Amino acid sequence: MEKTIAINAGSSTLKFKLYEMPEERVISSGAVDRIGIPGSNFTIKTTDGKKVEIDQPIENHEEAVDLLLQELIKLDIIKDYNEITGVGHRVVAGGEIFEDSALIDDKVLKEIEDLKEYAPLHNPANATGIRAFKKILPNITSVAVFDTSFHETLPEKNYLYSIPYEYYEKYGARKYGAHGTSHKYVSQRAAKIMGKPLEDLKLITLHLGAGSSITAIKDGKSFDTSMGFTPLAGITMATRSGDIDASLVVYLMEKLNITDPEDMLTILNKKSGLLGLSEISPDLRDIIDAADKGDKKARTAIDVFVNNIVKYIGSYATEMGGLDGIVFTAGIGENSVPMRKEITSKLGIFNVKMDDVLNQERGERFINTEDSAVKVMVIPTDEELAIAREVEKFKKMGD
Ligand code: AMP
């Protein structure tokens, strides 16, 4: 039985899901955390519910991959490495180079590394994961799946910033978006449950997690999206600021005596968003609890978050010239009953009506009332499955 592994490598983490393909059966999943940091640990789950946790020093991604493969054998999930015939790596930035997923060779790997300025927190880590697998399993089908590829269809009017055009031409200064694999996956599922071709629908997909982004999907393609040149732009996120006036960045650097722009970026990426506003936590659950107990800053953080989202929905519906469906996905979108309620309650102008009972249920479903003018859906995202499917596509091409 052929197996494909989907990998999401961060700077100190490596998450994985192992599939039996083409059945798309998950046979194991897990993560290595704190790679190269004291307190490294490894968690692996099997489908029969067994969970193994290992605490041991894991110095680098190669060691992480080694440990992962050894455990798959020890736990009898695979008999030997040859059973894994494909690996798909999530890569955040593909720039204008990668309109689609790509079979990884030395040239592709170099291009991913060269795109590090477009996603400084992500691309170098993604490349490290790729190199680790290449070294240990050099002969399997290895595919890079880019978060930006789905957004390659953005029209010029939606990806250009109003800055001198030559900066776009010379330096690639434009919007690329992110979370494309998720937006694509949930929009395809939405069309399926709506029983209509995706090409005939105007959808807005809300990927609300630790990182959050909103995409307008028209004619089956990404038409506009909230993240920008990097995943820092768009709506308020757990620790990222989202959209901000560029002059404010310069002003704050002066006020805070910051001379290294990287320090300012750290504030905007790691200390802002819901955490920065609430001064409590980056986790919306903690903020909702605090707001329920009367904490004013927590309430304000939620108000800013919700208002950001409905502003994007309003503008995207306007630029698409209509709206057939809204999809909630990712950690907050899939799990937060009160956030879905707050957001939809502000969309009366579109005649969006949510069913409170359906909102409480779980799994893929509609949550709108019969008489709502717009369908509202909760669709759990599955980026790993989408990645594994991309690997299958390349395997078939090679057959
Ligand atoms: P993700 O990035 O998609 O894994 O989502 C993780 C985020 O989802 C975390 O920052 C949590 O704050 C948020 N989250 C998960 N469950 C809930 C929930 N029930 N209510 C509010 N936020 C949640």
Side-chain angles (χ1 to χ4, degrees), residues 207-211 238 282-285 288 330-332 335-336 339:
H207 179 112
L208 309 177
D283 193 317
L284 195 55
R285 284 166 290 199
I288 293 171
I332 299 167
N335 299 308
S336 183
M339 279 306 101

Side-chain angles (χ1 to χ4, degrees), residues 24 39 44 46-47 51 65 68 73 76 86 101 104 153 157 160 181-182 193 210 220 255 263 274 295-296 338 376 390:
E24 301 187 345
I44 180 165
T46 58
T47 30
K51 188 170 166 188
V65 174
L68 153 64
I73 289 183
D76 217 17
S101 308
I104 302 171
T153 53
K157 66 181 175 191
L160 281 181
T181 310
S182 173
I193 65 172
K255 290 283 171 206
D263 293 341
L274 292 169
D295 189 288
K296 272 192 75 175
V376 185
E390 287 297 294

Side-chain angles (χ1 to χ4, degrees), residues 333-363:
E334 290 167 31
N335 299 308
S336 183
V337 173
M339 279 306 101
R340 289 194 298 259
K341 189 174 167 69
E342 278 209 35
I343 293 163
T344 48
S345 73
K346 298 203 160 34
L347 300 174
I349 190 168
F350 298 109
N351 243 323
V352 168
K353 292 185 191 159
M354 202 184 62
D355 183 313
D356 282 327
V357 176
L358 293 174
N359 188 33
Q360 307 266 354
E361 289 174 8
R362 297 206 62 81

